[in-house]
Amino acid sequence: MSDYQPGDRVRTATGDPDPADGTPGTVTTVHPDPADGIDITLDDGREYNILACGLEPKDTA
């Protein structure tokens, strides 16, 4: 189970070029099975499904 909840602000950290690491977004869905990943909506409106290990909390400071 992930520590993320819908509404959490995150940034990507997948090591892939699209979306680039550090791209900010908001968690929309956390699937019960960790292998199903987490749905996020990036600030530019694109939607992605990313495993929890490819996300990190977005700094709020």
Side-chain angles (χ1 to χ4, degrees):
M1 186 81 181
S2 168
D3 290 334
Y4 293 108
Q5 301 295 321
D8 285 351
R9 295 288 294 155
V10 295
R11 59 184 172 187
T12 58
T14 63
D16 293 333
D18 186 31
D21 284 354
T23 303
T26 302
V27 173
T28 55
T29 304
V30 178
H31 298 280
D33 184 338
D36 291 335
I38 296 173
D39 296 339
I40 66 167
T41 300
L42 301 179
D43 287 359
D44 66 8
R46 295 182 293 162
E47 297 179 352
Y48 282 85
N49 177 274
I50 297 177
L51 295 177
C53 62
L55 296 172
E56 54 189 32
K58 184 173 184 309
D59 296 332
T60 56

